[in-house]
Amino acid sequence: MSLTFYFHPLSSYCHKALIALYENDTPFEPHLVDLGNEAASAAFKKLWPMGKMPVLRDNARDRTVPESTIIIEYLAIHYPGKTRLVPADADLALQTRLCDRFYDCYVHDPMQRIVGDRLRPAEKKDPLGVEMARKVLLTSYGMIDQEMANRTWAIGDSFTLADCAAAPSLFYANEVQPFVDSHRNVAAYFERLRARPSFARVLQEAQPYFHMFPR
């Protein structure tokens, strides 16, 4: 098989790329990486020295592709399918990429800051950083709530890269700063994402690992 996907099923960025793979039924070999295992971690870092997941290895083209957004863009170019995740129209493509960055930078990143703080020892916690991250999330929720008032998916009627970014970001963000009762359009959009077969499959496969999430 040409494609090997290096991932962990609890990782939100891995979820993002998995959604893209499942959207188009792209054949690939999953390779779960346990960074807590010294040998597994060393082997993975030989492939990608930064040691961050996900990474896609394309043996047919002799390419190693890191970063979830770049993986999805790579798949759209070299392994396209029924769902066009990056629109052909240049303006829509730019809008899609902006939306992708929005979810990564202003939903995913502050969510991770809050989760990361939960994993710190008591003497190393950063309450000010957590407070600032929550403010960013609430600002983001307000913007998304306005945007999604008359949209089905992130940029309109078509499921794209932006929705791949939104799904895991909102899933975990809702765990640290719930939006279901305060932002009805965000909540409705999130329910559509959860019902999407590609994301539903990701969540089902991640279920055995959710107990590891620091609640």
Side-chain angles (χ1 to χ4, degrees):
M1 187 172 293
S2 176
L3 300 178
T4 303
F5 184 68
Y6 294 81
F7 78 113
H8 191 281
L10 195 61
S11 163
S12 47
Y13 277 125
C14 293
H15 291 181
K16 176 179 169 180
L18 275 171
I19 292 167
L21 287 162
Y22 291 157
E23 270 295 315
N24 286 316
D25 297 318
T26 307
F28 71 98
E29 179 181 347
H31 186 102
L32 195 154
V33 179
D34 179 7
L35 292 177
N37 180 288
E38 186 175 344
S41 179
F44 179 62
K45 287 179 180 178
K46 285 184 178 179
L47 179 70
W48 180 236
M50 297 306 296
K52 290 191 174 183
M53 294 177 276
V55 170
L56 183 73
R57 175 64 188 170
D58 186 349
N59 290 322
R61 304 186 75 252
D62 193 23
R63 294 290 299 274
T64 298
V65 187
E67 300 294 332
S68 57
T69 295
I70 304 305
I71 289 171
I72 295 172
E73 294 258 15
Y74 182 87
L75 292 169
I77 294 169
H78 299 291
Y79 297 89
K82 63 183 184 300
T83 304
R84 183 184 285 273
L85 295 171
V86 180
D89 179 85
D91 287 336
L92 283 177
L94 187 63
Q95 183 181 348
T96 299
R97 292 182 175 105
L98 172 60
C99 197
D100 168 73
R101 301 318 305 138
F102 177 88
Y103 276 101
D104 279 4
C105 295
Y106 303 116
V107 180
H108 193 282
D109 181 70
M111 172 274 292
Q112 282 201 321
R113 290 178 185 272
I114 297 170
V115 172
D117 192 74
R118 292 179 178 180
L119 297 172
R120 292 180 176 183
E123 67 276 11
K124 298 291 186 180
K125 290 192 178 295
D126 179 18
L128 178 60
V130 169
E131 180 184 354
M132 293 175 64
R134 291 191 185 281
K135 288 181 178 179
V136 173
L137 279 177
L138 289 172
T139 299
S140 298
Y141 292 167
M143 293 176 67
I144 298 166
D145 211 55
Q146 289 185 338
E147 289 286 338
M148 297 310 299
N150 298 300
R151 295 181 182 180
T152 301
W153 303 114
I155 64 163
D157 295 330
S158 299
F159 190 93
T160 67
L161 161 66
D163 301 291
C164 295
S169 297
L170 290 174
F171 177 83
Y172 283 113
N174 191 52
E175 293 291 325
V176 301
Q177 184 66 52
F179 53 74
V180 171
D181 295 329
S182 57
H183 296 81
R184 64 182 184 87
N185 295 328
V186 181
Y189 172 46
F190 181 54
E191 286 307 309
R192 290 193 294 275
L193 289 168
R194 287 178 64 104
R196 187 83 177 185
S198 56
F199 188 42
R201 179 177 175 182
V202 168
L203 293 180
Q204 182 181 21
E205 292 175 349
Q207 190 65 42
Y209 299 87
F210 282 142
H211 69 279
M212 299 167 61
F213 182 80
R215 301 183 185 279

